[in-house]
Amino acid sequence: MSIKKICLHIILAFSCLFAKGQAGSGFIAANKQLSDSLIKVLNNHPKADTARINILGSIYGKAVFVKEKKEALVYWNEAYTLAKKLNYTDGLLKCMWWQGTFKKSEGNYTEAHLIFDSVIAYKVPFETAASNWAKAASMYEKSTIFITANDYTSALKYLLQCTPYYEANLQERTLHVYGNFKKIFTQLGNLEKMEEYSRKIITISKKMGVPLSRYAIHYSDIAELRLLQKKYEEVKLYLDSAKYAIPRPGETMVNASYYLRKAILLWHYKQTDSADANYKTAIGYAKELGHNNFTANLYGWYAEFLLECGKTAQAKEYADKMLTIAGSKTLLAEALKLKAQTAFLQGNSHSAYQSLFAANLYYDSAGLEEQRKQINYLNAKYDASRRENDITQLTLKANEQQQRLDRKSNFNWLLGISLLSLVFVGFMMYMNLRNRQKIHKQRITELENEKKLAAADALMQGQEEERKRIATDLHDGLGGMLSGVKLTFNNMKENLVLTPDKVERFEKCLEQLDNSIGELRKISHNLMPDVLVKFGLDEALRDYCASMSGTPHPVVIFQYQGTERSFNNTSKLFIYRIIQELIYNAVKHAAATEILAQLTVSPLQVLIDVDDNGKGFATSELIGSKGMGMKNVKQRVEYLNGTLQIDSKSGKGTSVNIELYI
């Protein structure tokens, strides 16, 4: 029996079935569940727009078999009608492609070809991912129809056209494209190309993260070639790689082919028992498949194995089985040749001669049949060439018509450009008007902001003037009066005769009077510090921090950094008031023992940082606070075009950071 012929037969059968073996009942059930969920989405989107077309496409696109596609026609009809109405090219092309696959599923290949050709020839205004997909998918579908018709020249033509798309956009169909190449080269006996595309399928599957169990079977096909080349060590390596895909549920042809190859390898290494077990396993899968010629092939292989093992009676039994179910003349001849061998070994020369004579008759007949097949194949190639010539003529006519259309369209382009120019001028005028309105509104907003700032400035200036007046009244009026009272008490002390007890009480009164005068001067100084006017911001803040530092007050440290700058009186006073208020809050509310105030001056910016180690507080407490202190700080910061950030947590102190852009 010719090992090459039998193995190629198995490879072909496997290749043809592998692409179809992926859709099982679980796949159909999963698709139905997904389609039901998509129908719910569709019901929630009644608007007749492109989104609804895409949802409809997702629903009818889940149909796999003819029965399912017939049920999905109602969704396809709505999608097709709506896509034409909205002139939605992507949706229309997808609908046309699906219609072609439906016709193909029904076996109406002529209409399917026409529809796929329409998709491929459809002129789109500009390419999109969806239009490129539809055209490539149509080319792939045409190749599968041509393979079914054994027109491998046309099939290769369309496969070569769609391959660049599927290699640039790796997906499940990329593997199917390579699978079609593999089928064609297997049928043509080009084993090198068959191995090349087997390896491509393995490489791309790894790149796409496809599970090993789904592509490992291709290692078994490469092992088939190594058997023909008698490279048995490589056969073992490839079969070991393929074992992860075996057995494949429901794919008896694939399983039988694998175990046959493994049996041949084991017999080469004289592992008789293991080889026998694998032959029987292969035959079991073949019988389950119910394909008579394939099963007859395996009976023949097993009969040859039994003959070499010296089991003539068993070999005759399987040769008879092969003869009973063989459906081709070649297989009948092989079965008769096996019967002749077993008869000769059993000493029945007459029976052996009869079987050999009958076998030769079948071989001669099979040779004539091969000739007829070759003639049909050549005729098919001629028809393909003639169709190619017809296509060329049609293409020339189409080019001539296209040139006429191009000449007509030149005027339309000129008219369109003129209209676009008018639209552009109108658009620019509209944008200019909008910009002018926007600038006008912006100017109004700026004037309103300036008005608010002027009002705030007047309010704050009024507050400072009032502070100055109160400070002057306190210092010159009440301060002078208290100083006069102190002089009077001192004169009385010299002229009065007092007991020691009363002298102590009198001294205490004078001390309280001194403290009152000092506190009055401090209040007056804080309201309007003279040192700010006379010596500047740095000295005024140092003087204030020194006055707030020491028992019973915390340690207050002031640091001045950066360049020397002159500020206007308002800015200088507001910076002083901000730092004064922050230090006062830390002394009064935080119970801090250390306070650090920093003033950093640069040409374009002023930074204020006041940190304390007090008890801290939740910053959310500031929201809705009725206190005037922090409110005045915020107003002054906004006036000076600044930002305020407070970072404080209970028990971890407070840090206030202010940035002023003045």
Side-chain angles (χ1 to χ4, degrees), residues 98 104 121 232 239 252 342 443 459 468 538:
W98 187 87
K104 176 188 164 190
Y232 295 106
L239 287 179
T252 52
T342 58
R443 180 58 183 160
L459 177 63
K468 186 176 181 181
D538 184 13

Side-chain angles (χ1 to χ4, degrees), residues 302-358:
Y302 190 43
E304 284 192 358
F305 167 74
L306 292 171
L307 280 173
E308 292 183 21
C309 292
K311 300 178 180 180
T312 308
Q314 288 180 272
K316 181 180 181 303
E317 176 188 346
Y318 278 93
D320 289 337
K321 289 182 178 180
M322 180 182 182
L323 187 61
T324 302
I325 65 172
S328 73
K329 293 177 180 179
T330 302
L331 287 174
L332 286 169
E334 293 289 342
L336 288 166
K337 189 175 75 170
L338 282 169
K339 280 182 65 67
Q341 288 178 285
T342 58
F344 178 77
L345 290 173
Q346 291 175 336
N348 192 345
S349 301
H350 178 71
S351 178
Y353 172 77
Q354 286 182 326
S355 295
L356 279 175
F357 181 78

Side-chain angles (χ1 to χ4, degrees), residues 513-526 553:
L513 185 59
D514 284 336
N515 291 337
S516 299
I517 294 171
E519 189 65 27
L520 178 64
R521 288 175 178 171
K522 186 175 179 181
I523 293 171
S524 175
H525 177 79
N526 288 339
H553 298 303

Side-chain angles (χ1 to χ4, degrees), residues 397-459:
K397 290 181 181 179
N399 289 338
E400 292 176 1
Q401 188 177 6
Q402 184 63 44
Q403 289 175 0
R404 289 196 297 271
L405 290 173
D406 289 342
R407 286 193 294 271
K408 289 181 180 179
S409 66
N410 286 336
F411 175 76
N412 294 335
W413 274 107
L414 182 61
L415 181 61
I417 290 171
S418 301
L419 290 174
L420 283 174
S421 299
L422 289 174
V423 171
F424 178 74
V425 171
F427 176 74
M428 293 303 296
M429 292 177 64
Y430 169 73
M431 292 302 296
N432 183 47
L433 179 61
R434 273 191 71 182
N435 287 335
R436 290 175 61 184
Q437 291 176 342
K438 187 176 180 180
I439 293 171
H440 181 65
K441 289 180 181 179
Q442 187 175 354
R443 180 58 183 160
I444 292 173
T445 303
E446 289 175 355
L447 290 172
E448 289 177 349
N449 290 336
E450 289 176 3
K451 185 177 179 181
K452 290 179 182 178
L453 288 174
D457 185 35
L459 177 63

Side-chain angles (χ1 to χ4, degrees), residues 575-644:
I575 293 171
Y576 178 85
R577 292 297 185 205
I578 289 169
I579 297 176
Q580 181 186 41
E581 181 64 31
L582 294 175
I583 293 174
Y584 177 76
N585 285 344
V587 172
K588 181 179 179 182
H589 303 295
T593 58
E594 293 182 1
I595 301 172
L596 174 62
Q598 293 178 305
L599 180 64
T600 304
V601 180
S602 66
L604 300 175
Q605 192 181 42
V606 175
L607 304 178
I608 298 172
D609 297 291
V610 178
D611 304 312
D612 66 67
N613 64 348
K615 59 186 179 181
F617 63 94
T619 54
S620 58
E621 295 177 5
L622 292 175
I623 301 174
S625 175
K626 297 181 179 180
M628 293 298 296
M630 284 306 297
K631 189 174 182 181
N632 288 335
V633 169
K634 290 179 181 178
Q635 287 180 347
R636 292 185 173 103
V637 168
E638 289 175 0
Y639 179 82
L640 296 176
N641 192 27
T643 60
L644 170 67

Side-chain angles (χ1 to χ4, degrees), residues 106-117:
E106 289 185 319
N108 192 341
Y109 296 142
T110 302
E111 286 192 41
H113 272 308
L114 290 173
I115 294 169
F116 291 136
D117 287 337

Side-chain angles (χ1 to χ4, degrees), residues 30-315:
N31 270 353
K32 187 175 188 313
Q33 185 178 7
L34 181 58
S35 298
D36 291 342
S37 64
L38 287 170
I39 290 170
K40 291 181 181 178
V41 174
L42 181 69
N43 293 335
N44 293 329
H45 191 93
K47 186 178 179 181
D49 56 8
T50 57
R52 184 172 177 86
I53 296 173
N54 291 331
I55 298 170
L56 288 164
S58 298
I59 295 172
Y60 66 68
K62 301 302 174 189
V64 178
F65 300 105
V66 176
K67 180 181 178 182
E68 294 174 340
K69 289 185 176 183
K70 287 181 178 179
E71 293 174 356
L73 276 175
V74 61
Y75 302 105
W76 177 85
N77 283 326
E78 182 183 349
Y80 183 71
T81 303
L82 190 55
K84 288 180 67 176
K85 180 180 178 182
L86 299 178
N87 197 23
Y88 179 37
T89 303
D90 290 350
L92 185 62
L93 288 176
K94 184 175 181 181
C95 286
M96 292 168 66
W97 170 82
W98 187 87
Q99 185 187 24
T101 63
F102 179 58
K103 296 298 181 183
K104 176 188 164 190
S105 299
E106 289 185 319
N108 192 341
Y109 296 142
T110 302
E111 286 192 41
H113 272 308
L114 290 173
I115 294 169
F116 291 136
D117 287 337
S118 298
V119 175
I120 295 168
Y122 196 96
K123 291 186 178 297
V124 294
F126 53 88
E127 290 186 354
T128 64
S131 65
N132 289 338
W133 176 89
K135 290 175 180 290
S138 296
M139 294 172 189
Y140 166 77
E141 296 293 347
K142 282 179 71 68
S143 76
T144 61
I145 297 174
F146 283 124
I147 289 173
T148 303
N150 296 327
D151 185 354
Y152 303 125
T153 302
S154 299
L156 281 173
K157 171 188 170 183
Y158 285 101
L159 282 174
L160 290 170
Q161 287 180 16
C162 69
T163 297
Y165 172 83
Y166 287 112
E167 287 183 341
N169 303 273
L170 294 182
Q171 53 189 271
E172 185 76 21
R173 188 165 283 148
T174 306
L175 303 178
H176 298 332
V177 169
Y178 289 153
N180 277 358
F181 275 116
K182 182 177 171 183
K183 292 176 189 177
I184 292 170
F185 290 120
T186 299
Q187 290 284 12
L188 296 177
N190 190 335
L191 303 184
E192 290 182 359
K193 282 289 185 181
M194 179 270 196
E195 180 177 352
E196 176 187 335
Y197 282 97
S198 290
R199 293 189 180 279
K200 282 188 176 184
I201 292 171
I202 293 170
T203 301
I204 298 299
S205 296
K206 289 180 179 178
K207 190 173 183 180
M208 290 171 56
V210 175
L212 176 61
S213 60
R214 286 186 53 197
Y215 65 84
I217 194 62
H218 292 280
Y219 289 115
S220 179
D221 293 338
I222 300 174
E224 178 82 25
L225 301 179
R226 295 298 177 266
L227 278 173
L228 292 173
Q229 297 163 352
K230 297 184 179 180
K231 297 180 179 179
Y232 295 106
E233 289 298 322
E234 292 186 36
V235 173
K236 183 178 184 304
L237 290 174
Y238 287 116
L239 287 179
D240 286 343
S241 298
K243 68 183 180 182
Y244 297 104
I246 302 298
R248 292 178 68 86
E251 297 189 21
T252 52
M253 180 75 80
V254 172
N255 298 333
S257 300
Y258 171 81
Y259 286 111
L260 173 61
R261 292 159 186 167
K262 189 173 181 182
I264 296 170
L265 176 67
L266 291 168
W267 175 235
H268 170 75
Y269 288 113
K270 303 305 179 185
Q271 298 179 24
T272 308
D273 293 340
S274 298
D276 186 87
N278 279 274
Y279 273 123
K280 289 178 179 177
T281 303
I283 290 171
Y285 278 115
K287 290 168 69 176
E288 182 182 339
L289 177 66
H291 193 294
N292 287 343
N293 281 347
F294 183 70
T295 308
N297 255 324
L298 292 184
Y299 284 157
W301 275 104
Y302 190 43
E304 284 192 358
F305 167 74
L306 292 171
L307 280 173
E308 292 183 21
C309 292
K311 300 178 180 180
T312 308
Q314 288 180 272

